[in-house]
Amino acid sequence: MIRQEFSRIDPKRRGILDHRKKQFATPAFQNVEYKHRLNFYITPPTADITLEQFEQWAIDRLRVLAELEACSFRNKSPAETAAHMKPILDRYLPLSSSTSGSATLQHERQKDHYSHFILRLAFASTEDLRRRFSRVETMLFRIRFQVDDLRERQAFVETLNLDWEPVGDDERREFAEELRAAGGGYPKRIEDESYFKVDWERVPELVENRRVFLKAGHAYVPGREQLSMVVAEFTGKMDKALELTSRALPRLDEDDRLSPILTHLSQNFTTPDAKYSTTSTSLPGADISARNIDALSASFPLCMQNLHRSLRRDAHLKHYGRLQYTLFLKGIGLNLEECLVFWRSSFSKFTDDVFNKEYRYNVRHAYGDVGGDSNRRGNGCSPFSCQKILTEHPPGPGEAHGCPYRHFSIDNLTNLLQQVGVKDQEVLRGVKEDKEKQKFHLACNRVFEYAHKQEIKKVRDEGTWGAAQLETIVHPNEYFKRSYLLKNLGRNPAVENGGDVKMEG
């Protein structure tokens, strides 16, 4: 007997279900007008953008969030973080005020809106990514809220329709002593301050710091603490939205254009990817030659110092070590002819015939001198970024490539750091903690700041370098350039600029 099943839902009513209850409803096209600089990111964007915009906008925002997280791990104060982030925000994610008259205002706000939702998709897959994303997005919102124009900020808050219950005059007088005690004796006249009554769970920061009076499950929040209230609302809504997004992610597997981009972005939350641009980071006047590599190696990051030391010890490197090091040398400005001289002299145990047959072609290929048309047109391969070194081709026995902060044991890492001159126990302890937290790029930056602490202090005190020129390093070649510039301050005016790397997916 065939059993027939019937739906309990009246088919006539299916078409009129509330669209908000349809988890995967197809959004209608909507071109948003952004009236405020601040955004709670409640409404997902639905207007069309190109795939190039989709990826580049997300990468720019990721750069900002990664730098914010770095500030947090370095225990920078809120004021130090805000000062450090200003030039970085102006560069990657600017947001003009409504009164600025900027012609790019709507474009800036659209980029901010879209980039948030793109990264929300990328970081909703696991609890750890959701927690980190919510935390740094909250930090970003707090910075923007604090620097926003007072009138614009208040106009934005009024659009949120937050259900804060105003505390009446009678209740304020009844609890006047308690309210003043929670405020550290402020205000002297209870009539001079307005208060709101909210569920205590909505203002955890104020409760933790004992800055509010609690009664019957409610927190009595003074008006001057509006920042904490709005930020708490932002975080609460963000956490809920990320949970909903995580449930919708399986549908994205149907789009083979977006999934690889989102996967790449989520992996890059470790350290944003970067492409080294020799045009923007060349060192005019510097002696970048085969005979000078030993001297220049003092400015190399630990990964390249390890390769250089291994090469000098063994007169040989295996394939991935040669490739990683060749591309790095290419990135610092060593030309093909000099690079071939360097490798030939370094492989001293081999005859000319063996070197020419087994190694010469690979060096020429890396420079784009041989190979297919696309390789030659693109001038060969690009130097590896930290992200690529961290995530691709982990080293095996007898190999020296990779990232020592990730691929070495803590004992071997400590020994290598001591061999290159890092003796400070506090720095070594900090590196160990960074390694345990898998913050490998922060460990590298910690060592850089230790090795250049006097020079960094000088350029900061003199104001010759801005925060953007001292932001977290995410590329070995940027490490070298910044180290070289700092160690040669005042010696060669032609090279005294901060330089940077170009971000890419």
Side-chain angles (χ1 to χ4, degrees):
M1 182 173 106
I2 298 176
R3 183 178 176 183
Q4 190 171 11
E5 302 244 359
F6 294 93
S7 171
R8 296 189 179 191
I9 301 177
D10 183 346
K12 294 181 180 179
R13 296 182 59 195
R14 286 182 180 171
I16 58 173
L17 286 175
D18 187 338
H19 72 280
R20 289 169 296 185
K21 297 179 181 178
K22 292 184 179 181
Q23 187 176 358
F24 303 115
T26 301
F29 178 90
Q30 183 181 10
N31 202 354
V32 180
E33 180 183 358
Y34 301 95
K35 296 182 179 179
H36 303 285
R37 185 170 180 258
L38 298 170
N39 197 334
F40 255 35
Y41 310 105
I42 301 298
T43 306
T46 55
D48 291 340
I49 60 172
T50 66
L51 272 178
E52 289 76 14
Q53 288 175 317
F54 183 94
E55 186 167 16
Q56 190 58 54
W57 289 359
I59 289 169
D60 286 348
R61 191 181 195 91
L62 179 60
R63 189 71 183 90
V64 169
L65 298 186
E67 195 67 29
L68 273 170
E69 191 173 55
C71 287
S72 174
F73 280 106
R74 290 171 177 171
N75 296 317
K76 288 184 180 289
S77 68
E80 290 172 335
T81 299
H84 179 79
M85 291 303 301
K86 186 181 184 306
I88 297 168
L89 283 167
D90 290 344
R91 181 180 181 185
Y92 295 112
L93 209 60
L95 274 184
S96 303
S97 68
S98 298
T99 57
S100 66
S102 172
T104 61
L105 185 144
Q106 287 299 313
H107 174 76
E108 291 173 356
R109 296 179 182 183
Q110 183 190 37
K111 177 181 178 180
D112 175 66
H113 188 205
Y114 275 76
S115 61
H116 168 87
F117 274 94
I118 296 167
L119 292 189
R120 186 188 289 189
L121 289 173
F123 300 137
S125 57
T126 69
E127 183 179 352
D128 176 62
L129 286 175
R130 290 195 295 270
R131 183 173 60 251
R132 290 172 61 194
F133 181 67
S134 176
R135 183 167 176 262
V136 290
E137 280 285 344
T138 298
M139 291 175 66
L140 177 59
F141 180 83
R142 180 189 292 273
I143 289 174
R144 286 173 165 174
F145 190 91
Q146 289 176 310
V147 301
D148 200 17
D149 176 83
L150 183 60
R151 289 184 181 179
E152 291 185 38
R153 182 172 67 193
Q154 195 56 39
F156 167 74
V157 171
E158 290 173 359
T159 66
L160 299 177
N161 297 319
L162 301 173
D163 54 341
W164 301 341
E165 181 184 344
V167 176
D169 293 341
D170 293 340
E171 199 170 6
R172 270 190 299 171
R173 284 192 290 268
E174 180 184 356
F175 300 118
E177 291 304 316
E178 291 88 346
L179 293 172
R180 267 195 293 267
Y186 181 87
K188 292 184 178 179
R189 283 173 20 97
I190 204 66
E191 295 82 5
D192 294 339
E193 180 67 274
S194 60
Y195 289 86
F196 300 93
K197 187 162 55 174
V198 300
D199 188 285
W200 70 272
E201 292 180 336
R202 293 172 62 180
V203 285
E205 180 184 356
L206 296 178
V207 174
E208 181 183 1
N209 295 322
R210 300 184 179 183
R211 282 152 54 192
V212 289
F213 168 55
L214 298 177
K215 183 173 177 61
H218 289 98
Y220 288 69
V221 184
R224 66 180 181 276
E225 298 288 1
Q226 185 187 69
L227 169 63
S228 294
M229 296 172 70
V230 174
V231 168
E233 290 286 341
F234 178 87
T235 305
K237 292 182 184 298
M238 177 69 56
D239 291 341
K240 291 178 182 177
L242 285 167
E243 285 288 343
L244 291 174
T245 303
S246 68
R247 299 176 197 171
L249 285 179
R251 285 290 299 271
L252 284 174
D253 292 339
E254 300 172 8
D255 193 330
D256 57 7
R257 299 170 304 165
L258 301 186
S259 293
I261 296 175
L262 295 175
T263 300
H264 182 70
L265 290 168
S266 63
Q267 291 174 345
N268 284 357
F269 208 4
T270 304
T271 170
D273 207 356
K275 179 179 180 181
Y276 190 76
S277 169
T278 54
T279 58
S280 65
T281 49
S282 59
L283 291 169
D287 181 14
I288 310 295
S289 60
R291 67 177 180 277
N292 203 34
I293 296 299
D294 285 332
L296 293 173
S297 67
S299 290
F300 289 179
L302 194 62
C303 54
M304 301 305 166
Q305 287 200 46
N306 180 56
L307 284 167
H308 187 76
R309 293 166 70 88
S310 298
L311 177 61
R312 287 291 180 250
R313 182 190 66 225
D314 302 329
H316 184 259
L317 286 175
K318 291 191 175 182
H319 172 72
Y320 283 116
R322 295 197 307 273
L323 179 60
Q324 182 175 316
Y325 198 30
T326 297
L327 294 176
F328 171 79
L329 294 174
K330 172 186 172 184
I332 72 172
L334 191 69
N335 63 38
L336 173 58
E337 182 179 350
E338 286 292 313
C339 193
L340 287 169
V341 170
F342 170 77
W343 281 112
R344 179 64 196 97
S345 61
S346 298
F347 277 33
S348 55
K349 297 178 181 178
F350 297 89
T351 65
D352 287 343
D353 187 53
V354 171
F355 178 82
N356 290 334
K357 284 183 178 179
E358 298 187 17
Y359 303 109
R360 186 181 183 88
Y361 181 89
N362 289 336
V363 176
R364 294 177 61 202
H365 187 273
Y367 275 78
D369 189 51
V370 293
D373 290 340
S374 60
N375 186 60
R376 291 199 295 271
R377 284 196 302 270
N379 296 316
C381 305
S382 297
F384 291 171
S385 67
C386 294
Q387 177 67 17
K388 190 176 184 70
I389 293 171
L390 283 166
T391 58
E392 297 184 13
H393 305 298
E399 294 183 309
H401 67 278
C403 172
Y405 298 103
R406 175 168 190 171
H407 298 119
F408 278 27
S409 69
I410 189 61
D411 290 339
N412 288 342
L413 175 60
T414 301
N415 288 336
L416 178 60
L417 286 170
Q418 290 174 335
Q419 289 172 26
V420 299
V422 182
K423 308 288 187 180
D424 189 289
Q425 290 302 311
E426 184 177 348
V427 175
L428 294 173
R429 187 164 49 250
V431 168
K432 181 175 182 292
E433 293 173 357
D434 291 335
K435 177 176 172 62
E436 290 171 348
K437 294 176 182 177
Q438 298 189 349
K439 303 297 179 186
F440 309 113
H441 65 302
L442 293 186
C444 185
N445 278 267
R446 184 188 296 274
V447 170
F448 179 89
E449 290 171 4
Y450 165 77
H452 304 84
K453 56 187 175 184
Q454 294 181 345
E455 295 88 350
I456 291 174
K457 183 179 185 303
K458 181 179 179 181
V459 295
R460 279 179 174 160
D461 291 346
E462 295 177 353
T464 52
W465 284 29
Q469 293 168 304
L470 291 169
E471 63 186 72
T472 304
I473 297 170
V474 293
H475 200 293
N477 288 89
E478 176 63 17
Y479 186 111
F480 166 74
K481 175 171 186 178
R482 204 176 295 181
S483 174
Y484 183 90
L485 290 172
L486 288 170
K487 289 181 178 180
N488 289 274
L489 287 172
R491 298 181 189 175
N492 187 351
V495 300
E496 296 220 9
N497 59 80
D500 58 18
V501 291
K502 291 185 177 180
M503 304 305 301
E504 71 160 22

